[in-house]
């Protein structure tokens, strides 16, 4: 059997795999041991199956911009020369190129992330989280059902509508959010809900914070907020403290919409992640979704692994930063 035949047979075998009940229970147990048990995140069994398969084989996506978070964002490849393979700052804002599949003939190495293709765009696992118990209330119109088939050896032609690497699952709009930004996978198995969010943060130009944070509808919707020091976050201690200064928080969120976007790659290359001068905030919204933001002591903010930082007006940033003291 030559290499191409092996790949074809492997792809067919993966597409045909289904998780046993025992495997689902085992994977669910592992998820409950994640580093934030206070808010367990339930991932669709099919997602977990895909992740498990991904660990067994070569991975396809190349992580961008360093250690923002594990198992997240994907390689973005420029569609036109001059973007350098990642988000690029221009006079018009930060351009985040559309995700493209790496050319397998180049032997590019990459890490797999959960993804869904919807309306020609690649949605990757979102930095916004929901609990399974709250997912049904957020579930909107059904958009379709994914097919499996995206794997390490997929070509660009395999990225058809609702193709995915999370197996077959129903995809829905999310109430209160645009489906051009956020969609939800949702399944019920033996009475247990499995849901996850996917966001579209590539192939866009960001001119201000509103172009990203505005899609999350943060202002006026924060039901509760906590923060965590870098030392706690880095060591998995989960030492969360309430963000008690609501005035500082509201001022910060207002300033976030007018924040200046900065391309991530120059900052990561300059070693922004070498510093531990960071704090993490967790915003519980009134719809039970949780948004996590990382604040950097330089006055910068980052959401998930979107390859862009935001420079927030210094007064608003410092008021919130200074309110977060042990």
């Amino acid at each position: 059997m030559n290499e191409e035949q092996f790949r074809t047979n492997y792809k067919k075998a993966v597409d045909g795999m289904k998780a046993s009940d025992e495997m689902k229970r085992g994977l669910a147990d592992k998820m409950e041991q994640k580093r934030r048990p206070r808010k367990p995140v339930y991932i669709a069994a099919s997602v977990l199956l895909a992740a498990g398969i991904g660990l067994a084989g070569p991975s396809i996506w190349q992580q961008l911009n360093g250690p923002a978070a594990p198992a997240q964002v994907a390689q973005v490849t420029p569609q036109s020369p001059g973007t350098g393979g990642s988000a690029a700052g221009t006079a018009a804002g930060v351009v985040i190129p559309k995700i493209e599949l790496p050319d397998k003939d180049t032997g590019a190495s990459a890490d797999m992330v959960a993804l869904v293709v919807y309306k020609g765009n690649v949605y990757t696992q979102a930095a916004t989280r929901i609990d399974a118990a709250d997912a049904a209330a957020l579930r909107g119109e059904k958009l379709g059902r994914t097919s499996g088939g995206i794997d390490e050896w997929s070509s660009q032609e395999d990225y058809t509508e609702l193709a995915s690497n999370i197996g077959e699952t129903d995809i829905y709009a999310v109430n209160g959010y645009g489906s051009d930004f956020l969609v939800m996978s949702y399944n019920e198995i033996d009475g247990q809900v499995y849901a996850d969010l996917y966001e579209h943060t590539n192939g866009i130009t960001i001119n201000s914070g509103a172009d990203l944070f505005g899609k999350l509808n943060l202002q006026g919707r924060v039901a509760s907020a906590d923060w965590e020091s870098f030392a706690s976050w880095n060591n998995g201690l989960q030492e969360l403290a309430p963000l008690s200064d609501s005035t500082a928080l509201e001022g910060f969120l207002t300033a976030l919409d007018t924040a200046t976007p900065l391309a991530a790659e120059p900052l990561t290359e300059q070693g922004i992640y070498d510093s531990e001068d960071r704090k993490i905030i967790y915003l519980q919204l009134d719809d039970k979704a949780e948004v996590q933001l990382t604040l950097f002591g330089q006055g910068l903010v980052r959401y998930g692994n979107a390859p862009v930082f935001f420079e927030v007006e210094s007064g608003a940033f410092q008021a919130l930063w200074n309110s977060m003291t042990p």
Side-chain angles (χ1 to χ4, degrees):
M1 179 184 300
N2 59 34
E3 181 178 0
E4 188 61 34
Q5 289 172 323
F6 171 77
R7 290 176 174 177
T8 300
N9 291 341
Y10 177 88
K11 186 172 184 295
K12 289 180 178 177
V14 168
D15 289 347
M17 290 181 67
K18 295 185 181 299
S20 66
D21 291 341
E22 182 179 357
M23 182 178 182
K24 292 171 187 173
R25 286 193 296 271
L27 291 169
D29 290 340
K30 289 180 181 178
M31 288 303 300
E32 291 178 356
Q33 297 171 11
K34 291 183 70 175
R35 61 184 295 273
R36 297 201 64 223
R38 141 187 115 79
K39 281 186 62 61
V41 178
Y42 295 83
I43 310 299
S46 54
V47 175
L48 295 170
L49 176 60
I53 294 168
L55 293 173
S59 47
I60 61 171
W61 292 105
Q62 184 173 24
Q63 185 168 341
L64 181 71
N65 294 328
Q72 288 190 1
V73 114
Q75 167 77 15
V76 287
T77 302
Q79 289 190 304
S80 58
T83 56
S86 63
T90 71
V94 170
V95 178
I96 302 177
K98 192 170 184 175
I99 287 179
E100 299 282 358
L101 190 66
D103 184 352
K104 60 184 178 183
D105 293 335
T106 67
S109 175
D111 295 329
M112 177 177 285
V113 294
L115 62 87
V116 173
V117 178
Y118 176 63
K119 289 192 173 179
N121 295 309
V122 175
Y123 289 61
T124 53
Q125 191 169 2
T128 296
R129 308 286 182 173
I130 52 171
D131 280 348
D134 303 315
L138 283 172
R139 185 178 54 171
E141 175 191 6
K142 184 174 179 178
L143 303 176
R145 185 171 177 83
T146 60
S147 59
I150 297 296
D151 61 24
E152 291 88 340
W153 297 294
S154 297
S155 66
Q156 199 62 51
E157 290 72 25
D158 294 320
Y159 278 58
T160 57
E161 184 68 3
L162 290 172
S164 77
N165 62 359
I166 62 172
E168 296 183 9
T169 186
D170 292 329
I171 298 294
Y172 294 86
V174 183
N175 291 331
Y177 303 84
S179 60
D180 60 338
F181 171 64
L182 203 64
V183 299
M184 175 195 295
S185 65
Y186 185 98
N187 265 329
E188 292 187 18
I189 302 175
D190 298 331
Q192 176 67 60
V193 173
Y194 298 90
D196 205 7
L197 298 175
Y198 295 85
E199 61 192 8
H200 172 220
T201 56
N202 65 90
I204 59 175
T205 297
I206 295 181
N207 297 300
S208 71
D211 289 334
L212 180 58
F213 300 113
K215 296 176 180 177
L216 290 165
N217 305 317
L218 297 179
Q219 289 197 54
R221 291 208 310 126
V222 176
S224 65
D226 296 314
W227 75 278
E228 184 177 19
S229 69
F230 174 78
S232 171
W233 177 86
N234 194 45
N235 292 288
L237 300 179
Q238 304 161 33
E239 294 175 342
L240 305 184
L243 262 172
S244 56
D245 191 336
S246 59
T247 301
L249 178 59
E250 286 301 318
F252 171 82
L253 294 179
T254 299
L256 207 54
D257 275 354
T258 58
T260 302
L262 304 170
E265 187 168 339
L267 292 166
T268 55
E269 289 180 345
Q270 292 163 17
I272 190 170
Y273 281 102
D274 294 341
S275 172
E276 297 183 357
D277 193 18
R278 283 178 256 167
K279 298 175 182 178
I280 298 90
I281 63 174
Y282 304 93
L283 307 176
Q284 183 85 38
L285 305 184
D286 56 10
D287 60 8
K288 308 298 185 185
E290 183 185 85
V291 175
Q292 175 179 332
L293 302 176
T294 301
L295 278 60
F296 296 77
Q298 302 94 321
L300 303 178
V301 177
R302 191 173 188 189
Y303 168 73
N305 271 306
V308 58
F309 288 78
F310 293 88
E311 184 175 23
V312 181
E313 189 275 320
S314 60
F317 182 91
Q318 284 302 324
L320 181 63
W321 182 271
N322 294 340
S323 73
M324 295 184 283
T325 55

